[in-house]
Amino acid sequence: MRADARRNHDRLLDAARAAFAERGADASLEDVARRAGVGIGTLYRHFPNRPALLSAVFQDALAALLRRSGELAEADDPCRALVDWLRAVVAHAGAYRGLARALMSASHDESSALAQCSTPLRTAGERLLVRAQEAGTVRGDVSIGDLMQLTNAIALAAEQDPADAELADRLLTLTLRGVQV
């Protein structure tokens, strides 16, 4: 990438992070371009659609979640490791208004750029889930797809009631009681 193109790319990502933090994942792409000091055509040259921009914005968070799953993969208590990781996923999905909804949609559309976030997360979570199931602490009929949908649903529910800072954790605790043996 040429130096000017790299600068535009980086400015677009910074502007998108700010816009998404202020207005949620549905923030206007025109606003993102304006904040970055470029035209909307430049934004679309770098990111052909909203899911591609969302995916690029969340690569740092994705990398952190993947690192965390790797750290937890050898934990002494596989169930606790899964729970800790799911809490981190809920926090990630709730980071921006609208992100949980976008991630839920991406789980049904493997061609979506957001699937680039969803697929590695599912793989990382699957390893933790299988360990917990093999340890006999999580029911065998629980799938990672179900857990990912539940974590996104919990983040979406918490987004609807921002005054209740403990809602996501309470809902996750209730959900996890249902999947444990």
Side-chain angles (χ1 to χ4, degrees), residues 58-71 85 88 121:
F58 302 122
Q59 288 304 307
D60 290 340
L62 172 64
L65 286 169
L66 295 177
R67 274 192 310 277
R68 184 71 179 134
S69 73
E71 294 165 3
W85 188 76
L121 279 180

Side-chain angles (χ1 to χ4, degrees), residues 35-175:
R35 286 173 184 242
V38 300
I40 192 70
T42 299
L43 183 145
Y44 283 116
R45 271 193 299 283
H46 287 275
F47 307 101
N49 52 42
R50 180 180 302 277
L53 180 58
L54 284 169
S55 178
V57 164
F58 302 122
Q59 288 304 307
D60 290 340
L62 172 64
L65 286 169
L66 295 177
R67 274 192 310 277
R68 184 71 179 134
S69 73
E71 294 165 3
L72 293 167
E74 299 303 319
D76 291 337
D77 182 347
C79 187
R80 169 68 20 212
L82 177 64
V83 168
D84 289 350
W85 188 76
L86 290 172
R87 278 199 167 87
V89 171
V90 168
H92 163 67
Y96 298 98
R97 286 185 326 276
L99 176 58
R101 186 175 52 253
L103 289 171
M104 288 175 88
S105 296
S107 71
H108 299 294
D109 180 8
E110 298 211 3
S111 67
S112 165
L114 267 178
Q116 294 174 5
C117 290
S118 182
T119 302
L121 279 180
R122 292 169 73 92
T123 301
E126 181 81 32
R127 284 192 321 258
L128 296 171
L129 173 61
V130 167
R131 274 194 79 227
Q133 288 170 324
E134 289 172 349
T137 56
V138 173
R139 294 178 11 197
D141 63 343
V142 174
S143 74
I144 192 60
D146 291 344
L147 287 179
M148 296 305 289
Q149 286 290 67
L150 285 168
T151 57
N152 285 323
I154 289 167
L156 186 57
E159 176 183 306
Q160 301 306 309
D161 191 1
D164 187 350
E166 303 300 319
L167 179 61
D169 196 57
R170 285 195 319 273
L171 291 174
L172 183 60
T173 299
L174 286 170
T175 299

